[in-house]
Structure formats: C-alpha cells, structure tokens
Amino acid sequence: MDDRVWKALADSTRRAVLDALADGPLTTGDLVERFPELCRTAVMKHLDVLVEANLVVPRREGRQRWNDLNPAPIQAVCDRWVSRHVSRLASAMGRLKGLVEEQQRPEAAAASAKSRKG
Amino acid sequence: MDDRVWKALADSTRRAVLDALADGPLTTGDLVERFPELCRTAVMKHLDVLVEANLVVPRREGRQRWNDLNPAPIQAVCDRWVSRHVSRLASAMGRLKGLVEEQQRPEAAAASAKSRKG
DNA sequence: TAAACATGTCACTATTTGGTGACATGACAT
DNA sequence: ATGTCATGTCACCAAATAGTGACATGTTTA
C-alpha cells in the first residue's frame, strides 16, 4: 500500500525535508540546522515517517547518520494517480467549463483561480 | 499553496471518493450509499475537504447536490513534484544501488523490496 | 578513561483529524 | 399546508499527529 507515502507527503515540513535531500544526502544534524523552528526530536520523527514510506534511506557512518532521498515512490504514486485520473481530465474539464459558463458561480471561479496561482 | 491538495489526498477514504467520482458526478446521497461504513456527516466532511482543495466542485440541483471531480489539481501537484525530484532519480538510484551492493544491509534490502512490491 | 558529540528513545502535551448523533433548512409531492 | 426527502450545521468524542524536554546509547577525541 502506498498509503504511507501519501501520509508522508501530506506534511509540508516533510516535503521540505525531501527538497533539502534532493541535492544530496544530509546527516540528521544537517537537517536540524536547516529547520531552526523545530527541535531535533521533531526532525527525527519526520525522518521516521519518511523512512517508513521508503522515501528516505538512512545509513550509519560513525556517530552520524546520513539520510538519502529515494524519489522512486513519489514517482510511482504520482504516475499511478495521474494515469488513473488523467483520462477523465478532458471530459471533466469539459463539464466544469460548461458549468462555469452557464452558472458563473463566484466561489468556484475564485477557488479555481487560487489553485492556478498556487 | 497546494498544501490543501496534499492534505486532501492523504486520506484513503477521500482518494476512494475521487475514484468514485472518476466515472462521473454523483450526488452526496449516492456517495453515502457507496460508503456504508461511514455516516452521512463523515462523507460530507470528506467532501468539504475535497472542495476546499478544489478537487471536487459541488453544484446544487433542486434538493440534491451533485459533486463533480476536478482532476486538474492532482495532475498539477504531481507534475510539479515529479519534475522537481525526477531529475535526481537517476543519481539517487545510483547512490542507493551502490549502498545496497556494498553494504548489503538487510533492513534496506527489505524496505526497497517492499516498495517494489507495493 | 573521560569529555564531547551525534543520534536514539521515552513520557508527556496540545492540536488536528475522522467520526458520530441531533437538529435545522430548504425543496418537492400530496 | 404539510409531510418527506436531501442536504446543511452543530456540539461533542476518540484517535492520530506534531511537538517538546529529559535521558540513554554509542563514537570519537583528548
């Protein structure tokens, strides 16, 4: 099950950790320095979640631990989901376009504009 | 921010709702029938989260509400994340492969095997 | 050996989340 | 008008989550 991957990616701090690891492995101490708003224990908990999801692979070296990014599960999960829903995208967009043009509901327009920005 | 999208996708029930809507819009009552393990209020809460994330667009018709899937944010978020990390995939896989071959750590092997299965 | 250092673990707290039942609102049919 | 039906809203509960400080373990280095 890739539920753990979704859960791991749901937290913005954990996504930031993955971003930090994208340039190469970092020790836990390195990561703690990059997140001054968090205590060390919090960073380690996030790392635990990422390791459980197999998004980070830890490796011990002396008295420090190196954390390697494993981007494969991200791609796997996204591929599966996009392929599952992308075929519906055209027809769904058609439906929605019609709705917007017909009804002109202001909330829906604001919501979609916000999503386009983000 | 697409934090709301990640949060919305983090829950397996909500992903199941999106799956159900992939074949076409459904009323809230329809969805309640498809999730007998949940009460109506719970289904509506999940729908609220999905609407906030702009993954579902509600539309009122008489005394019932139709829920339309909007798959665009899924693709947007996935595209952004895969493109951000996929360039690292080759080098990261190289590093990990090297680690496994060199060190043969049983936990790492088990973890990667699990991810290959899932 | 002993101090310093990086990491691991534990117990605890506050907030968020997923869930519920009860009640309110608004539309449709009789 | 009135009862019924679909949806909306409210107050509340239990479990999961993100966070913390204190302490334990294991590794260098003096």
Side-chain angles (χ1 to χ4, degrees):
Chain A
M1 281 291 288
D2 45 30
D3 191 64
R4 271 196 283 257
V5 177
W6 285 111
K7 284 274 197 297
L9 291 173
D11 186 87
S12 62
T13 300
R14 284 193 289 268
R15 293 198 301 276
V17 169
L18 295 182
D19 273 342
L21 295 180
D23 295 327
L26 295 173
T27 69
T28 305
D30 291 337
L31 284 168
V32 171
E33 281 181 12
R34 299 202 183 194
F35 294 89
E37 71 276 15
L38 297 182
C39 74
R40 187 178 57 87
T41 312
V43 172
M44 289 197 60
K45 276 200 182 180
H46 284 305
L47 281 172
D48 285 345
V49 174
L50 291 168
V51 169
E52 279 303 303
N54 197 35
L55 287 162
V56 165
V57 179
R59 151 179 50 113
R60 189 102 204 198
E61 191 169 290
R63 65 180 159 187
Q64 53 195 5
R65 156 174 145 171
W66 290 92
N67 301 281
D68 269 270
L69 171 67
N70 179 20
I74 297 176
Q75 203 188 24
V77 160
C78 284
D79 279 1
R80 247 172 296 172
W81 258 72
V82 168
S83 68
R84 190 185 303 175
H85 287 288
V86 76
S87 62
R88 319 289 180 175
L89 196 128
S91 62
M93 288 308 282
R95 275 202 302 275
L96 291 174
K97 187 159 174 284
L99 287 177
V100 170
E101 285 168 355
E102 286 164 18
Q103 311 195 190
Q104 291 289 351
R105 299 183 314 103
E107 329 84 80
S112 67
K114 191 171 55 183
S115 105
R116 256 176 259 123
K117 255 194 312 184
Chain B
M1 280 289 290
D2 44 30
D3 191 65
R4 273 196 282 257
V5 177
W6 284 111
K7 284 275 198 296
L9 291 173
D11 186 88
S12 63
T13 300
R14 283 193 290 268
R15 293 198 301 275
V17 168
L18 295 182
D19 273 342
L21 294 180
D23 294 327
L26 295 173
T27 70
T28 306
D30 292 337
L31 283 167
V32 171
E33 281 181 12
R34 301 203 181 192
F35 294 89
E37 71 275 18
L38 297 182
C39 74
R40 188 179 57 87
T41 312
V43 172
M44 290 197 58
K45 276 199 182 183
H46 284 305
L47 282 172
D48 285 345
V49 174
L50 292 168
V51 168
E52 279 302 304
N54 197 35
L55 287 161
V56 165
V57 178
R59 152 178 50 115
R60 188 101 205 198
E61 192 169 293
R63 65 180 159 185
Q64 53 195 6
R65 157 174 146 172
W66 289 91
N67 300 280
D68 268 90
L69 170 67
N70 178 19
I74 297 175
Q75 203 188 24
V77 160
C78 283
D79 279 0
R80 248 172 298 172
W81 259 72
V82 167
S83 68
R84 191 186 301 175
H85 287 287
V86 77
S87 61
R88 319 288 180 174
L89 197 127
S91 61
M93 289 307 281
R95 275 202 302 275
L96 291 173
K97 187 161 174 283
L99 286 176
V100 169
E101 286 169 352
E102 284 164 19
Q103 310 193 189
Q104 292 289 350
R105 298 183 314 104
E107 330 84 80
S112 65
K114 190 172 58 183
S115 104
R116 256 174 260 125
K117 254 193 312 184

